[in-house]
Amino acid sequence: MSADYPKALDTSLSGLDWEDWLDKLDDAADADGYVERLGDAHAAIFIEHTPTLLVTFEAFPALRVTSPEAQPLGWQLGRALGWSHLCLASQTDSWFREGRVFGFFDRLIDDGFFEEFDQVIVYGAGPAGYAAAAFSVAAPGARVLAIQPQATLDPRMSEWDERFRRSRKLDFTSRYGYAPDMLDAADRAVILYDPEIEEDAMHAALFARSNVSRYRMRYMGPRLDRGLMRMNILLRFIAQLSAGKLDTASLARLYRARRTDVPYLKALVARLEDDGRHYLTARLAQHVMRTTPGPRFRRAVRAAYDKAEEQGMPMPPREID
């Protein structure tokens, strides 16, 4: 933990609605940065400290779930590493397709804002992951981490994605539009996704570029970012990306945390059950029960042995009744 960081980062923002949240941020950031409202539904929050800048794109409803104090994600790294932080916040999932957001980044480019920093890291997940990739072009040489990003919602390109039909009316064809193309100026980008979610896998395929690494995180589900936070490894991913150490081996080492993550293990057991793999279901559930007893895994063990007996299948020694 850095002993020297802006004290604004200690401010609790919990229990506030969008307008009050911005007002309190404005008061807290006064000495170390600023809050700029970008229309009614977007805002930029900047806290200045060291020459490393983390830019995060965050939706207000998700932010209140992932942080007990309703703080932007970058504030944790600001306290730990002393980084400067620019948060682009949206009142709802908007993919940040708003003219005032475009104008804000245009102004940062004209002012040479990003050139004042030795390093820029950009992060977002889901719709905010799209924005992280799309607006990273404003900071050439940035390193980008995008989790389950959409490449575009333009129906001419992604009509196969039926999840966000109401948002197709947003303009994804003008400036900062097609996210994969906007990554061409990045030093490096990392895309994380669950290949079991077909739409996410198809979007990830559209990001294939020489400077983009795509990593599959199977069975993590549609809230991959929250799973990584729960395992306490998301911020470590960002820190290693900054240090140039986030590669296949280091990511795999950190991702071993899933072996003790109960929601992940429940998802894995469910998949084995759905596939009728009774032997592996029993092996996995009994292994989990040694350290993490729970009714879900006990039921899985009993059901696996019952079904295997009906089908005359061989099974491992039974450890759990």
Side-chain angles (χ1 to χ4, degrees):
M1 183 72 67
S2 173
D4 176 28
Y5 61 83
K7 297 311 173 187
L9 303 183
D10 289 330
T11 304
S12 175
L13 303 165
S14 62
L16 303 175
D17 62 19
W18 170 249
E19 291 295 334
D20 291 339
W21 185 75
L22 289 177
D23 286 343
K24 192 165 184 179
L25 275 169
D26 199 8
D27 292 339
D30 183 57
D32 302 297
Y34 62 78
V35 173
E36 180 174 345
R37 297 177 186 241
L38 307 173
D40 294 332
H42 297 87
I45 303 102
F46 176 57
I47 300 292
E48 184 174 13
H49 194 38
T50 68
T52 295
L53 174 68
L54 174 64
V55 182
T56 62
F57 291 81
E58 305 184 52
F60 180 62
L63 181 150
R64 293 198 293 178
V65 172
T66 57
S67 169
E69 295 184 327
Q71 295 177 340
L73 174 71
W75 284 22
Q76 295 183 53
L77 284 171
R79 289 192 296 269
L81 301 176
W83 289 355
S84 297
H85 180 231
L86 174 63
C87 173
L88 275 297
S90 60
Q91 188 175 11
T92 60
D93 281 333
S94 67
W95 285 263
F96 294 84
R97 302 305 298 167
E98 160 64 50
R100 293 178 181 84
V101 178
F102 301 169
F104 176 73
F105 277 95
D106 290 344
R107 182 155 35 88
L108 294 185
I109 294 171
D110 291 341
D111 293 345
F113 172 78
F114 294 108
E115 297 172 11
E116 298 176 4
F117 295 91
D118 295 341
Q119 185 182 57
V120 178
I121 305 101
V122 187
Y123 166 81
Y130 159 84
F135 290 101
S136 69
V137 71
R143 294 176 179 174
V144 182
L145 176 61
I147 298 178
Q148 294 171 308
Q150 293 79 51
T152 178
L153 295 187
D154 179 0
R156 292 172 296 179
M157 284 290 293
S158 61
E159 62 184 352
W160 35 265
D161 192 341
E162 297 286 337
R163 298 174 297 177
F164 312 112
R165 290 181 63 89
R166 293 183 179 179
S167 297
R168 289 178 178 175
K169 62 185 179 181
L170 298 172
D171 173 18
F172 285 87
T173 60
S174 62
R175 305 177 63 250
Y176 305 105
Y178 186 55
D181 284 349
M182 299 299 101
L183 285 174
D184 287 348
D187 173 61
R188 187 190 174 207
V190 174
I191 306 294
L192 306 180
Y193 67 101
D194 183 343
E196 295 298 310
I197 303 174
E198 185 175 355
E199 297 90 346
D200 285 351
M202 294 171 72
H203 279 291
L206 296 175
F207 282 92
R209 297 289 192 278
S210 61
N211 62 336
V212 178
S213 301
R214 293 170 293 149
Y215 294 105
R216 296 179 291 179
M217 295 188 160
R218 201 178 297 274
Y219 310 128
M220 289 297 295
R223 299 292 187 181
L224 173 53
D225 58 325
R226 296 186 189 179
L228 298 178
M229 289 181 191
R230 186 176 62 244
M231 297 178 201
N232 295 316
I233 57 177
L234 176 58
L235 298 184
R236 296 175 69 183
F237 283 173
I238 296 173
Q240 289 206 357
L241 179 64
S242 168
K245 297 179 179 179
L246 188 62
D247 56 18
T248 302
S250 66
L251 190 145
R253 283 193 295 271
L254 290 173
Y255 192 41
R256 287 173 186 165
R258 73 192 186 282
R259 297 176 181 178
T260 56
D261 182 65
V262 173
Y264 168 81
L265 293 170
K266 286 181 177 179
L268 185 54
V269 165
R271 178 55 184 269
L272 292 173
E273 289 177 325
D274 290 343
D275 291 346
R277 305 183 72 175
H278 309 313
Y279 189 99
L280 289 178
T281 298
R283 287 287 301 274
L284 174 62
Q286 291 186 121
H287 172 75
V288 175
M289 287 286 289
R290 294 183 194 128
T291 57
T292 313
R296 174 65 181 92
F297 301 108
R298 189 178 297 277
R299 288 196 304 269
V301 171
R302 291 172 177 170
Y305 278 97
D306 290 345
K307 292 177 182 178
E309 184 177 358
E310 292 174 3
Q311 299 171 16
M313 295 176 57
M315 292 289 282
R318 187 162 185 166
E319 303 173 11
I320 306 294
D321 293 328

